[in-house]
Amino acid sequence: NGWIMEGETRVQIAERHVRQAEMHVARQKQMIERLRRRNRSTVDDEKLLQIFLETLKVHQDELERLSRESQSA
């Protein structure tokens, strides 16, 4: 769910975004494995995986920043 839940903190939102991004990465890796087993091209799927990995990193960095801020507040 991409919507903000009532009462959800910024850290909780960032944690949810990290979990969702991790799920996208895992699903894409599974897709690539299925294609490889069928001797199909994975070029486009691997490009998409790289985008998902980059997005995951952005979410992880944001979570780390928000966590540091909330600990110092």
Side-chain angles (χ1 to χ4, degrees), residues 60-71:
Q60 289 169 329
D61 290 348
E62 178 70 358
L63 174 57
E64 184 179 327
R65 184 186 67 77
L66 290 170
S67 294
R68 277 194 316 267
E69 284 179 6
S70 70
Q71 290 173 359

Side-chain angles (χ1 to χ4, degrees), residues 21-32:
E22 288 171 338
M23 288 184 349
H24 290 144
V25 166
R27 286 185 194 140
Q28 192 64 18
K29 286 180 177 181
Q30 290 173 346
M31 171 76 74
I32 290 168

